[in-house]
Amino acid sequence: MSEQTQQRIDLAAAFRWAVRFNYHESIANHFTLATNDDGTEFLINPFDMHWSEIKACDLIRVDSEGNVLEGEGDAERSAVCIHGPIHRMLPHARCVLHAHPRHCTALTTVKGGELISLCQKAARFHGDLAYDDEFNRIVLDFEEGERIAGTLGNKRILFMVNHGVTVIGRTVADAFDKLYHLELAAENQVLAMSTGAELNPMSEGAARTVYQRQ
């Protein structure tokens, strides 16, 4: 099996699992995987296709401008404008998952809403979180995508205010594992906040130790 075939299989599986975990919004949101070293070409879901139906052969390969190099269909403009700059500007962003899972998104709608190291799942992201506090508009230009990439920087998790989250990883499995545990951590925090009781975060040292062992 060729590397590109395996990449397609892995990315298609991520879409199917996202549906199982209810991370999807029908045809909205986007997952991508870079296929060359400089991140100027990547696999992406074709616009107007429900995530539950996406197969490896359905994925399209596009360049950083959104031109289709392989496959049938078109890439959503906002997907290209967000993912293109991230892949191109951040070498560690091989796989980029952008979604609106309910608990992560809930945190982005709370004033000062940040993920706190309340549990071990949350602590695994300690020091690896970036926050974009500017919801300017739906992303339809590369300038805004470059701003988002700059905000993400060397981190691997970006909470986007009033929007959702973007998670990056070395591989599809690496990125999806992060997204899975991130949503669980956010769910735990939302439940804890809903009790109205005082939150009990880990110490800085304990959280750092958990993160370093991941």
Side-chain angles (χ1 to χ4, degrees):
M1 184 183 301
S2 70
E3 180 181 5
Q4 187 176 97
T5 298
Q6 187 62 60
Q7 289 176 327
R8 286 178 169 275
I9 290 171
D10 291 348
L11 191 58
F15 285 107
R16 297 296 188 95
W17 276 106
V19 172
R20 291 191 181 194
F21 292 130
N22 199 28
Y23 298 163
H24 72 304
E25 291 188 338
S26 183
I27 63 171
N29 299 164
H30 11 86
F31 291 177
T32 57
L33 179 65
T35 58
N36 63 349
D37 291 340
D38 61 8
T40 56
E41 296 178 6
F42 50 90
L43 294 173
I44 190 171
N45 47 309
F47 187 55
D48 285 346
M49 190 168 209
H50 196 282
W51 286 22
S52 65
E53 300 176 339
I54 294 177
K55 303 184 295 294
C57 61
D58 295 318
L59 297 171
I60 58 176
R61 184 167 59 90
V62 301
D63 64 18
S64 56
E65 298 291 324
N67 299 306
V68 177
L69 305 175
E70 183 181 10
E72 297 182 5
D74 297 306
E76 184 189 20
R77 177 67 180 173
S78 63
V80 174
C81 290
I82 293 175
H83 291 244
I86 292 176
H87 281 301
R88 178 170 48 81
M89 294 171 62
L90 307 178
H92 61 302
R94 301 300 297 167
C95 181
V96 180
L97 309 181
H98 174 70
H100 303 164
R102 63 178 65 180
H103 298 95
C104 286
T105 303
L107 289 183
T108 74
T109 64
V110 176
K111 200 76 170 177
E114 296 187 357
L115 187 69
I116 305 169
S117 294
L118 294 175
C119 62
Q120 185 169 306
K121 287 186 288 291
R124 67 177 288 175
F125 302 109
H126 183 77
D128 208 12
L129 300 165
Y131 295 91
D132 182 3
D133 296 324
E134 300 179 38
F135 184 74
N136 295 323
R137 57 191 180 280
I138 295 175
V139 184
L140 297 175
D141 59 75
F142 290 108
E143 181 180 358
E144 180 66 1
E146 289 169 359
R147 186 193 65 78
I148 290 171
T151 302
L152 183 53
N154 64 353
K155 309 298 186 183
R156 288 174 288 185
I157 310 294
L158 178 66
F159 278 85
M160 308 167 76
V161 69
N162 308 124
H163 191 170
V165 290
T166 295
V167 178
I168 65 176
R170 300 181 307 277
T171 64
V172 174
D174 176 45
F176 197 87
D177 179 68
K178 287 181 175 63
L179 178 62
Y180 174 77
H181 286 96
L182 185 71
E183 175 63 4
L184 288 179
E187 180 181 18
N188 179 82
Q189 182 168 324
V190 170
L191 287 171
M193 292 166 66
S194 72
T195 67
E198 182 179 359
L199 300 181
N200 184 29
M202 292 181 184
S203 68
E204 174 75 16
R208 189 185 308 114
T209 298
V210 173
Y211 169 69
Q212 291 172 343
R213 292 190 177 182
Q214 297 304 312

